[in-house]
């Protein structure tokens, strides 16, 4: 119970890896806030079914009013905010295509969700963390930034921004006792993204790995031997 009674806000917690973060921190005793533009109720129910407390907040992280309401509702229910996991992003639903074919509006929306969303959520929780003199902000980056990935340039660029944002904010907030870090997962089969990548792409990805199997959301929280066996393929 490493997170007993801590209040952890997970944006994009309704689905994919975010859902797994919610279940993972709940298993460690945290009280969980599932914040998502999609219906958070199913994840809330899953968390509660495991004996932990949860609050669902429908919230578009790119809208300042929504992020302020997220903080207000969290404080009203749980009285504080210990951890913010800035996980929400436009990712799984994005179509892979050459940069000349990406509509300008799609570029803008990716930046609004993947970058402005981090900025707004961090600003929304900061006053409560500052008052207590402690807190943790965890931003979800991606290995795509470090590798450079074609046909996904808005997404990859936004994740580079996450790294810059994290490094800069960590320097600003250290003096308040608030730690800011980033996690950069590799390609993880998380639902929507499985539909957008052909089998050939998945197999190539597995061949390049040290462990010859696909990464699954549970890996980002803990190692899952049963999944490892099930997803193993022979290159
Ligand atoms: N799956 C991977 O291979 C992988 C690899 C590296 C990093 N990541 C990152 O991990 C995080 C989760 O990835 P995933 O695969 O679960 O993605 P996903 O696309 O399956 O899920 C994203 C979640 O964010 C929510 N969301 C989207 N727009 C939102 C908005 N405006 N406001 C609030 N919520 C919003 C969605 O409803 C969804 O629940 C993302 O930040 C992604 O960039 C994923």
């Amino acid at each position: 119970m490493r997170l007993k009674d801590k209040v952890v806000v997970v944006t994009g917690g309704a689905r994919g890896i975010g859902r797994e973060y919610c279940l993972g921190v709940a298993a460690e005793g945290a009280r969980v806030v599932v914040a998502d533009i999609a219906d958070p109720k199913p994840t809330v129910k899953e968390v509660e079914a495991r004996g932990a407390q949860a609050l669902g907040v429908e919230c578009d992280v790119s809208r300042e009013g929504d992020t302020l309401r997220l903080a207000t509702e969290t404080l009203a229910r749980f009285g504080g905010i210990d951890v913010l996991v800035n996980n929400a992003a436009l990712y799984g639903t994005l179509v892979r295509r050459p940069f000349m074919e990406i509509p300008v509006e799609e570029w803008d929306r990716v930046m609004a969700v993947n970058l402005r969303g981090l900025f707004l959520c961090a600003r929304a929780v900061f006053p409560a963390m500052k008052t207590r003199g402690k807190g943790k902000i965890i931003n979800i980056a991606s290995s795509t930034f470090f590798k450079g990935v074609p046909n996904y340039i808005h997404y990859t660029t936004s994740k580079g921004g996450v790294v810059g944002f994290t490094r800069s904010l960590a320097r600003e907030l250290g003096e308040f006792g608030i730690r800011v870090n980033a996690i950069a997962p590799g390609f993880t089969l998380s639902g929507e993204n499985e539909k957008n990548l052909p089998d050939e792409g998945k197999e190539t990805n597995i061949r390049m790995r040290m462990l010859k199997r696909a990464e699954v959301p549970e890996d980002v929280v803990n190692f899952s031997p049963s999944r490892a066996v099930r997803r193993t393929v022979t290159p």
Side-chain angles (χ1 to χ4, degrees):
M1 288 292 186
R2 288 175 294 174
L3 297 173
K4 187 155 175 39
D5 294 334
K6 300 284 184 202
V7 178
V8 180
V9 177
V10 181
T11 69
R15 291 197 290 245
I17 301 178
R19 171 185 158 274
E20 206 63 43
Y21 291 142
C22 291
L23 299 178
V25 296
E28 290 291 342
R31 293 174 286 170
V32 187
V33 181
V34 184
D36 206 301
I37 201 167
D39 185 3
K41 284 194 275 309
T43 306
V44 167
K45 281 188 185 147
E46 282 188 276
V47 169
E48 288 174 341
R50 290 161 199 229
Q53 293 181 59
L55 168 71
V57 180
E58 277 188 36
C59 157
D60 178 345
V61 295
S62 70
R63 297 168 67 107
E64 185 175 25
D66 283 17
T67 61
L68 294 174
R69 182 172 46 79
L70 169 62
T72 307
E73 289 186 21
T74 302
L75 292 170
R77 169 79 186 270
F78 294 128
I81 301 172
D82 295 287
V83 183
L84 165 69
V85 184
N86 262 326
N87 166 79
L90 278 182
Y91 167 61
T93 52
L94 291 175
V95 175
R96 289 174 188 248
R97 47 189 158 191
F99 88 104
M100 288 298 285
E101 293 173 20
I102 293 177
V104 174
E105 299 72 30
E106 187 175 293
W107 172 278
D108 288 345
R109 184 67 188 149
V110 168
M111 297 304 158
V113 176
N114 297 14
L115 282 176
R116 190 166 74 211
L118 258 71
F119 171 64
L120 292 176
C121 288
R123 284 159 65 105
V125 302
F126 172 64
M129 290 184 174
K130 185 183 168 198
T131 302
R132 289 169 137 198
K134 62 178 181 177
K136 294 188 177 63
I137 297 175
I138 302 164
N139 301 316
I140 307 303
S142 164
S143 63
T144 55
F145 166 64
F146 300 100
K147 287 189 285 206
V149 172
N151 300 325
Y152 235 4
I153 200 159
H154 43 4
Y155 175 78
T156 306
T157 304
S158 75
K159 291 298 177 179
V162 173
V163 174
F165 177 82
T166 302
R167 290 187 168 152
S168 301
L169 195 64
R171 293 193 185 280
E172 281 197 38
L173 300 193
E175 66 176 287
F176 301 105
I178 301 169
R179 294 183 209 168
V180 187
N181 286 287
I183 297 173
F187 179 73
T188 309
L189 295 179
S190 62
E192 286 295 326
N193 69 349
E194 296 189 44
K195 296 177 202 158
N196 290 334
L197 191 66
D199 286 344
E200 192 185 289
K202 287 176 201 155
E203 282 161 25
T204 305
N205 181 273
I206 290 167
R207 262 188 228 109
M208 288 162 57
R209 290 180 177 277
M210 282 64 151
L211 301 181
K212 302 299 176 195
R213 66 168 179 85
E215 187 169 309
V216 293
E218 293 93 317
D219 289 316
V220 187
V221 179
N222 58 16
F223 180 67
S224 167
S226 57
R227 285 292 192 109
V229 172
R230 191 139 54 86
R231 302 263 186 156
T232 298
V233 300
T234 309

